[in-house]
């Protein structure tokens, strides 16, 4: 049984996990495509106001990992974050063979290794969900976030198809 954390330890952990704007991902659950900013309604009496929603701590974990993997490394360099993102986007156009999937896994591990809120990557599986393989792969992650007793499981689809 995990030990109970003090209020000061919990406060530090929540600050480490951070706060971010809340994103709504349209479409099928787990696809992390077509994100839009989520809104939140203020409570109280009318007129209720809509504002941008925020997520923090564990609620932002899935979003922060998906954003890191869906961003091509170097894409945010003009904003001062040249190492943010993943290199697996460089493999678009490559055949869906084991060598390509192994490179995707390597690049995902590199990207997660640069995420300060990840304590340990427990497992990464990259596979073709169809037989014979088409242009789609699935990236399944088991990640332990800092200070958390249970791993986060996440599936991120990725297409090797070149954009038309």
């Amino acid at each position: 049984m995990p030990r109970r954390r003090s209020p000061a330890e919990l406060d530090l952990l929540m600050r480490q996990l951070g706060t971010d704007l809340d994103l709504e991902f349209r479409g099928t659950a787990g696809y992390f495509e077509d994100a839009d900013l989520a809104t939140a309604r203020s409570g109280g009496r009318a007129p209720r106001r809509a504002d941008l929603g925020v997520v923090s701590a564990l609620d932002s974990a899935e979003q922060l990992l998906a954003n890191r993997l869906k961003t091509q490394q170097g894409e945010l360099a003009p904003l001062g974050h040249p190492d943010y993102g993943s290199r697996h986007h460089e493999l678009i156009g490559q055949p869906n063979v084991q060598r390509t999937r192994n490179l995707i896994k390597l690049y995902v591990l590199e990207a997660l290794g640069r995420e300060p809120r990840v304590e340990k990557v427990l497992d990464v599986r990259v596979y073709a969900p169809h037989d014979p393989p088409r242009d789609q792969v699935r990236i399944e992650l088991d990640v332990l976030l800092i200070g958390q007793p249970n791993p986060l499981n996440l599936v991120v689809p990725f297409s090797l198809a070149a954009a038309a």
Side-chain angles (χ1 to χ4, degrees):
M1 177 140 191
R3 71 174 182 82
R4 292 182 61 86
R5 291 186 173 88
S6 71
E9 289 173 317
L10 286 173
D11 185 51
L12 174 62
L13 177 61
M14 293 305 116
R15 283 195 318 265
Q16 288 173 325
L17 289 173
T19 300
D20 203 351
L21 291 172
D22 188 10
L23 295 178
E24 281 183 355
F25 294 98
R26 308 264 188 250
T28 308
Y31 267 78
F32 305 105
E33 298 289 340
D34 301 323
D36 199 0
L37 293 171
T39 58
R41 294 267 179 205
S42 62
R45 295 185 289 179
R48 292 178 53 180
R49 298 176 190 250
D51 201 351
L52 294 177
V54 295
V55 289
S56 60
L58 292 178
D59 292 336
S60 68
E62 184 175 286
Q63 179 176 301
L64 75 89
L65 293 173
N67 284 342
R68 183 171 286 274
L69 295 180
K70 297 299 275 187
T71 303
Q72 186 169 349
Q73 187 176 341
E75 190 175 339
L76 298 181
L79 299 175
H81 303 284
D83 294 329
Y84 184 88
S86 176
R87 292 181 52 207
H88 72 275
H89 304 275
E90 297 170 10
L91 300 171
I92 291 175
Q94 296 296 313
N96 191 350
V97 296
Q98 193 60 48
R99 177 189 173 278
T100 303
R101 293 189 294 270
N102 287 343
L103 283 171
I104 292 171
K105 182 177 180 177
L106 173 68
Y107 294 156
V108 166
L109 286 168
E110 287 176 350
L112 295 176
R114 288 188 300 273
E115 174 54 62
R117 295 165 284 194
V118 170
E119 184 173 308
K120 184 177 183 180
V121 178
L122 302 173
D123 195 16
V124 175
R125 296 168 304 284
V126 179
Y127 63 93
H130 302 99
D131 189 26
R134 299 182 208 156
D135 59 2
Q136 289 288 320
V137 297
R138 296 283 184 270
I139 305 167
E140 292 184 359
L141 308 170
D142 295 326
V143 178
L144 192 59
L145 297 172
I146 55 173
Q148 296 304 303
N150 299 315
L152 175 69
N153 308 105
L154 188 66
V155 178
V156 181
F158 177 65
S159 176
L160 291 163

